[in-house]
């Protein structure tokens, strides 16, 4: 029996979810009630946002301070040529509302800092981080750990990607204790566009599973995907007792 909070449009729109025993009506209601923050509307954030909006997430927080550029369009499938020069969060909100008017998009045109991160992320249930710099990733990890918010973290470069969920210990800083001195960026080393779709979609799937309770999540584990030979593996992440975020200190 379906909850009476669904409109006829929603019942038709989410029909393939409603017949899934792992989601069903109750799971879809959880998706509708969920508030998810998306950090970075780039290669990972674009496909993740599309699938989360399509899945029926009730509130999406779009966080990015950048504008759409021509070089983005090779992998950031949320945007088109007409969006070049527009703020990413505003263009994203327009496209996502067109995809699913039941999804409420909150626009945050800013870069997260020590001063604003807790205020911005505190209004959401889950954080999906797809940003492209270690400074923001470490900051988001500290804030999410302090706020006790599950953090879905995805990254990519060249032909490979990584995905993990952090909720308690171990945390992201157990995996990356400090910023690598020779950190690679997509701008410097390149990235195949379709890989962003793979990792963004997997991050969205992980988020949906956390919200609905379906299956087993990547909490405390790291998935590594290799697009060149089409293989993936999952490794268990150890907790660092000396970690300044989640360790015994």
């Amino acid at each position: 029996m379906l909850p009476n909070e669904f409109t006829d449009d929603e019942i038709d729109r989410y029909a393939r979810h409603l017949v899934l025993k792992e989601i069903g009506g109750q799971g879809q209601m959880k998706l509708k009630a969920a508030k998810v923050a998306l950090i970075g509307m780039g290669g990972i954030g674009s496909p993740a946002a599309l699938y989360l909006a399509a899945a029926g997430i009730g509130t999406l927080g779009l966080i990015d301070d950048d504008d759409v550029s021509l070089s983005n369009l090779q992998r950031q499938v949320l945007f088109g040529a007409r969006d070049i020069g527009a703020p990413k969060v505003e263009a994203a909100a327009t496209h996502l509302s067109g995809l699913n008017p039941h999804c409420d998009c909150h626009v945050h045109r800013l870069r997260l800092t020590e001063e604003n991160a807790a205020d911005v992320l505190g209004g959401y249930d889950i954080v999906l981080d797809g940003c492209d710099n270690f400074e923001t990733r470490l900051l988001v990890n500290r804030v999410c750990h302090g706020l006790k918010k599950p953090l879905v973290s995805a990254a990519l470069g060249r032909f490979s990607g990584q995905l993990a969920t952090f909720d308690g210990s171990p945390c992201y800083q157990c995996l990356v204790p400090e910023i690598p001195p020779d950190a690679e960026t997509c701008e410097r080393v390149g990235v195949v566009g379709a890989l962003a779709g793979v990792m963004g979609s997997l991050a969205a799937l992980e988020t949906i599973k956390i919200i609905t309770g379906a299956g087993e999540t990547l909490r405390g584990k790291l998935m590594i995907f290799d697009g060149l030979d089409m293989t993936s593996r999952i490794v268990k992440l150890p907790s660092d007792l000396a970690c300044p975020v989640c360790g015994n200190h």
Side-chain angles (χ1 to χ4, degrees):
M1 184 174 180
L2 296 176
N4 57 17
E5 288 87 349
F6 287 132
T7 65
D8 289 342
D9 177 274
E10 289 173 303
I11 292 174
D12 196 18
R13 181 181 293 270
Y14 307 130
R16 301 304 185 275
H17 274 180
L18 295 173
V19 297
L20 283 172
K21 66 177 183 179
E22 295 86 356
I23 297 182
Q26 294 303 318
Q28 194 62 47
M29 285 304 301
K30 291 178 181 178
L31 294 173
K32 184 176 181 177
K35 298 179 180 180
V36 178
L38 279 162
I39 303 173
M41 300 309 301
I44 293 169
S46 285
L50 285 167
Y51 275 108
L52 290 175
I57 297 295
T59 303
L60 283 179
L62 312 178
I63 305 169
D64 202 310
D65 67 342
D66 200 7
D67 298 331
V68 179
S69 65
L70 181 60
S71 64
N72 296 154
L73 304 186
Q74 168 253 11
R75 64 202 176 282
Q76 299 178 19
V77 293
L78 185 52
F79 309 115
R82 288 182 293 181
D83 298 314
I84 293 173
K88 285 185 179 180
V89 289
E90 295 181 8
T94 298
H95 292 304
L96 295 172
S97 296
L99 173 64
N100 188 354
H102 301 287
C103 179
D104 185 15
C105 293
H106 292 184
V107 170
H108 303 276
R109 190 184 180 190
L110 52 79
R111 179 178 290 270
L112 293 176
T113 66
E114 294 282 358
E115 291 72 31
N116 65 23
D119 287 339
V120 173
L121 300 180
Y124 298 93
D125 307 315
I126 297 177
V127 176
L128 193 165
D129 186 7
C131 74
D132 59 358
N133 69 86
F134 284 102
E135 291 87 352
T136 300
R137 287 182 176 275
L138 291 171
L139 167 63
V140 168
N141 175 70
R142 292 195 300 272
V143 172
C144 286
H145 185 79
L147 295 174
K148 294 181 172 54
K149 307 279 186 183
L151 170 61
V152 177
S153 179
L156 48 79
R158 302 180 191 266
F159 279 85
S160 63
Q162 298 179 349
L163 178 66
T165 291
F166 302 101
D167 190 6
S169 182
C171 72
Y172 180 79
Q173 197 152 346
C174 294
L175 174 65
V176 184
E178 57 187 27
I179 299 174
D182 55 347
E184 296 183 345
T185 64
C186 291
E187 184 177 5
R188 183 161 65 88
V189 303
V191 61
V192 62
L195 176 68
V198 172
M199 299 311 301
S201 298
L202 287 173
L205 177 59
E206 179 77 353
T207 303
I208 290 168
K209 288 168 57 184
I210 292 171
I211 294 169
T212 61
E216 184 178 346
T217 71
L218 289 169
R219 183 179 184 272
K221 293 174 286 187
L222 177 70
M223 188 190 77
I224 303 169
F225 176 78
D226 188 331
L228 278 179
D229 58 16
M230 297 302 283
T231 59
S232 64
R233 59 192 177 99
I234 295 177
V235 297
K236 186 174 181 180
L237 295 175
S239 297
D240 181 0
L241 298 180
C243 174
V245 176
C246 70
N248 297 330
H249 54 79

